[in-house]
Amino acid sequence: MRFCHLLQKRAEALLAAGSHVIILGDLNTAHRRIDHCNAVNLEYFEEDPGRKWMDGLLNNIGCPAGSHVGPFIDTYRYFQPQQEGAFTCWSVVSGARHHNYGSRLDYVLGDKTLVMDTLQASFLLPEVMGSDHCPVGAVLNVSSVPAKYCPPLCTLFFPEFAGTQLKILRFLVPLEHKPILDQSALQLSSQTLVQKRQNKFCVRLTRLQPSQASSRRGQKNMTSYFQPSSSHSQTSASKLPTLHLVETVMATKTPEEEAIAKVVEGEISASGAKEEKEVLVSFWKSVLRGPFSVPLCRGHREPCVMRTVKKAGPNLGRHFYMCARPQGPRSDPSTRCNFFQWSRPS
């Protein structure tokens, strides 16, 4: 609002100096209810600070005397005072442009004398894509007269628009050197250097001590770190007679018995591998459950789309599902329904 009031003061000052003024662009405010797609459901619509500011800025000729007597005229409403659905901005996320569910935020405003004497047409271009806004324009029957001098705020006086090559020195600012600070900084750097050398010497000493001790004891072999435990040696020793006994028994079997034993061993190994595979499959299924099934909206029985809460609060960052159709008037059944569902419980 500070910007809006400053803009108004600047425009009124130019009018007082005898100039004509045109204000055009995105004012980020839908002035009247006819300029907003959902004004019926908005409380205190006229109490919005931006709309009150535009009430004081604009002069609506069709309104009763004493109201809206500002110095400027909304050129589009000057020609189309009752045109509905004349919007210039739509939500890209909700796809509201498909059903023309938006607001008129872009204006071409002109001072009263200029509009009534020279204005021929004012138009919107909603068919021009490429942005969440569409272009707006006006046609004036005027002739261009060169000015004697440019206004002080003209971009001609900006260095980046001067049309000349800027030197690198313009981006470099010389620093003022203070001798006292330089001397203290030099002392500090010398102390830091001595400290680093002392620390490095201490590190070297600590690294040399273990190596010197190991040289006196001799280099250890890698196998010395892998000594078998006493229990392991006893167990392996106790198994030796059993293994020898099994080999002796197997050697005394007939060829038929050996064939049967091989078949039994093969079945046991196959069943064990199958059980192990089933265990692994069930484990990975419990860990990697895959994507959750997308719910269907109740209004159209169609797959929903996932969105993320971006508003600050306890639900910031949570995901939810909603109807995937473009946003539009509630009276139109082909537009988005009011389905809502959290993706996961909080």
Side-chain angles (χ1 to χ4, degrees), residues 110-149:
D111 64 88
K112 183 177 179 180
T113 304
L114 179 68
V115 171
M116 298 185 68
D117 294 345
T118 64
L119 188 67
Q120 294 183 342
S122 184
F123 54 88
L124 313 178
L125 299 176
E127 67 278 1
V128 178
M129 310 299 290
S131 171
D132 57 337
H133 291 254
C134 77
V136 299
V139 179
L140 301 173
N141 185 15
V142 294
S143 57
S144 301
V145 179
K148 296 181 180 179
Y149 56 91

Side-chain angles (χ1 to χ4, degrees), residues 37-206:
C37 62
N38 196 26
V40 178
N41 298 320
L42 296 179
E43 297 182 357
Y44 310 107
F45 184 85
E46 287 79 7
E47 301 300 321
D48 180 77
R51 296 185 179 93
K52 285 188 173 182
W53 169 73
M54 293 192 71
D55 290 342
L57 180 70
L58 299 180
N59 186 329
N60 293 338
I61 300 176
C63 293
S67 63
H68 304 290
V69 290
F72 290 91
I73 293 178
D74 181 359
T75 59
Y76 184 80
R77 288 301 173 197
Y78 181 75
F79 286 98
Q80 307 288 342
Q82 303 299 328
Q83 179 64 43
E84 296 182 356
F87 304 139
T88 65
C89 181
W90 305 265
S91 173
V92 177
V93 176
S94 62
R97 194 168 187 170
H98 181 74
H99 296 286
N100 193 27
Y101 195 71
S103 303
R104 191 170 72 97
L105 307 180
D106 304 87
Y107 300 85
V108 179
L109 310 179
D111 64 88
K112 183 177 179 180
T113 304
L114 179 68
V115 171
M116 298 185 68
D117 294 345
T118 64
L119 188 67
Q120 294 183 342
S122 184
F123 54 88
L124 313 178
L125 299 176
E127 67 278 1
V128 178
M129 310 299 290
S131 171
D132 57 337
H133 291 254
C134 77
V136 299
V139 179
L140 301 173
N141 185 15
V142 294
S143 57
S144 301
V145 179
K148 296 181 180 179
Y149 56 91
C150 295
L153 296 179
C154 181
T155 55
L156 176 65
F157 303 117
F158 292 2
E160 54 267 32
F161 297 107
T164 57
Q165 183 73 31
L166 297 180
K167 296 183 179 180
I168 194 66
L169 296 178
R170 293 180 60 89
F171 301 94
L172 303 178
V173 180
L175 298 177
E176 297 181 0
H177 297 281
K178 296 183 180 180
I180 299 177
L181 293 178
D182 293 345
Q183 186 177 1
S184 60
L186 183 61
Q187 294 176 357
L188 181 60
S189 62
S190 61
Q191 293 176 2
T192 307
L193 183 60
V194 172
Q195 185 85 19
K196 286 183 177 179
R197 288 178 179 176
Q198 293 176 356
N199 295 338
K200 190 180 293 185
F201 181 70
C202 294
V203 171
R204 287 180 179 177
L205 287 178
T206 55

Side-chain angles (χ1 to χ4, degrees), residues 310-323:
K310 298 183 179 180
K311 184 178 180 180
N315 293 322
L316 180 64
R318 289 188 64 184
H319 301 287
F320 62 92
Y321 291 100
M322 62 187 305
C323 181

Side-chain angles (χ1 to χ4, degrees), residues 222-300:
M222 181 64 71
T223 57
S224 63
Y225 296 96
F226 302 96
Q227 295 293 340
S229 61
S230 59
S231 60
H232 180 71
S233 60
Q234 294 176 1
T235 305
S236 59
S238 63
K239 288 183 178 179
L240 289 175
T242 306
L243 294 175
H244 181 70
L245 178 62
V246 171
E247 291 176 357
T248 305
V249 173
M250 291 295 293
T252 59
K253 287 184 177 180
T254 61
E256 292 79 4
E257 292 175 346
E258 290 181 358
I260 295 173
K262 289 182 179 180
V263 172
V264 172
E265 289 179 359
E267 292 179 355
I268 293 174
S269 60
S271 62
K274 184 177 180 180
E275 292 178 357
E276 184 180 359
K277 182 179 180 180
E278 291 178 354
V279 171
L280 290 175
V281 170
S282 62
F283 169 74
W284 285 113
K285 283 185 177 180
S286 63
V287 175
L288 305 174
R289 299 180 181 179
F292 290 91
S293 58
V294 178
L296 304 179
C297 66
R298 297 188 182 94
H300 311 97

